[in-house]
Amino acid sequence: MPRATPKPTDLSSIDARREALRAELAALDEQAKAAELAAKDAGRPILLAALDRVKIATMDKTDARSIASAISLHGGQVVAQHLATLTTS
């Protein structure tokens, strides 16, 4: 089986390839950033749909923000579990 001849070292082609890889990495970084932002807000439509089905008494903006912050900080499951303990007490 014949051996493949190694490519000669060509500095300009190496630099061009390096720049192409940098551009590809930059594009991947942008895609990752967009995916992270989408993942952070993925639960919003589900929560809003659930809120549309439940009657909610008057509440202050501060209380609403506190609830939203708790969901953002601790996650929906933890907040739901805590609220479940409040309703059974």
Side-chain angles (χ1 to χ4, degrees):
M1 186 173 235
R3 285 187 161 196
T5 57
K7 288 186 177 181
T9 305
D10 179 15
L11 192 56
S12 63
S13 64
I14 292 171
D15 287 339
R17 178 71 178 140
R18 182 180 290 139
E19 286 304 312
L21 289 173
R22 284 185 181 138
E24 189 175 344
L25 282 173
L28 285 173
D29 287 342
E30 288 298 317
Q31 289 175 2
K33 190 182 296 184
E36 287 172 0
L37 287 174
K40 285 182 181 180
D41 207 28
R44 180 183 300 271
I46 297 166
L47 178 61
L48 293 177
L51 290 173
D52 283 340
R53 295 183 183 147
V54 177
K55 299 218 184 281
I56 302 171
T58 303
M59 132 180 6
D60 291 338
K61 193 181 259 188
T62 305
D63 292 338
R65 282 190 182 150
S66 294
I67 293 167
S69 293
I71 293 170
S72 177
L73 182 63
H74 302 292
Q77 186 176 15
V78 171
V79 173
Q81 288 173 349
H82 185 70
L83 291 174
T85 64
L86 292 175
T87 58
T88 59
S89 299

